[in-house]
Amino acid sequence: MRLVRKQGFAATSVGELCAEAGVTKGGFFHHFESKEALGAELARYWSRSTSGFFSDAPFRLEDDPLDRILGYLDLRIALIGGPAESFSCVAGTMIQESFRTSEPIRAACRESILGNADLFDPDFAEAVARYGIDADPASLSRHVQVVIQGAFILAKTQDDDDRAIAMARDSLMHLKRYLMLLFDQENAR
């Protein structure tokens, strides 16, 4: 995962993956039919680990659905640090490279990224009902992921880690302010 986040999927060779993992190429191909199969499994692994992490995070205990959503964004902002590859999404990295060239990787990345959005559909549905706004909850969940993924992509355009961090954090802070305004909570908080 570290190599793919740092170098990209296409630029990371099976030899580099084996060296990093401390296995032989024979061992690699014993477990994976191809590098593509590893990529699809990597996206599924990323999905399982991040979904569990976000499902069990303390913000999930908030009574107010908007507080759960904003708590998620606060956590995502807090996780932004170090070089862009340390906070970027492995599924987001791989989908940029292989959305037209690998159906298995595209499907696994779609499930990872949209699966994360799906975690917040109930929270957005509850918030939309509670605050009486006219918005599609599933669309709002996807929009959050669009901004997060876009923030990570733009952060990678920076040649300095501090600028990358600032750019990603600023983008997520703008998203948080947008949601607070949408739910008419800017003055209440």
Side-chain angles (χ1 to χ4, degrees):
M1 200 165 39
R2 187 185 67 74
L3 285 176
V4 169
R5 286 166 86 183
K6 182 177 182 180
Q7 300 175 181
F9 184 73
T12 303
S13 70
V14 170
E16 289 173 306
L17 292 166
C18 291
E20 180 75 12
V23 299
T24 64
K25 283 188 179 181
F28 175 89
F29 287 109
H30 174 75
H31 292 286
F32 300 102
E33 175 182 303
S34 63
K35 183 180 168 193
E36 179 182 55
L38 168 78
E41 183 54 37
L42 181 58
R44 287 189 288 273
Y45 171 79
W46 179 257
S47 182
R48 287 189 305 271
S49 62
T50 59
S51 293
F53 177 75
F54 292 125
S55 293
D56 297 336
F59 66 80
R60 300 304 298 153
L61 301 174
E62 294 289 340
D63 289 330
D64 188 309
L66 185 58
D67 287 340
R68 291 192 296 268
I69 295 162
L70 298 176
Y72 167 69
L73 289 175
D74 287 339
L75 178 57
R76 293 304 300 247
I77 292 165
L79 292 172
I80 297 171
E85 65 266 15
S86 68
F87 61 81
S88 63
C89 171
V90 74
T93 297
M94 290 194 306
I95 194 64
Q96 293 170 56
E97 296 181 47
S98 54
F99 75 103
R100 292 278 188 232
T101 60
S102 173
E103 176 56 26
I105 292 175
R106 187 194 63 74
C109 291
R110 177 192 65 228
E111 292 303 315
S112 179
I113 295 167
L114 294 180
N116 197 300
D118 292 346
L119 288 174
F120 293 91
D121 282 356
D123 297 312
F124 274 110
E126 189 180 339
V128 163
R130 179 181 284 193
Y131 291 96
I133 67 163
D134 182 23
D136 175 48
S139 179
L140 286 171
S141 295
R142 288 188 305 271
H143 178 67
V144 167
Q145 292 307 309
V146 166
V147 174
I148 290 170
Q149 292 297 326
F152 294 163
I153 290 168
L154 289 178
K156 291 177 182 178
T157 67
Q158 302 304 299
D159 59 0
D160 175 84
D161 291 339
D162 291 336
R163 284 194 297 271
I165 291 166
M167 182 175 280
R169 285 183 179 161
D170 285 349
S171 294
L172 272 61
M173 287 300 298
H174 287 304
L175 174 62
K176 184 177 175 181
R177 282 189 290 276
Y178 162 74
L179 290 173
M180 290 173 71
L181 288 168
L182 179 67
F183 286 94
D184 197 24
Q185 295 299 299
E186 183 65 23
N187 294 322
R189 294 179 191 257

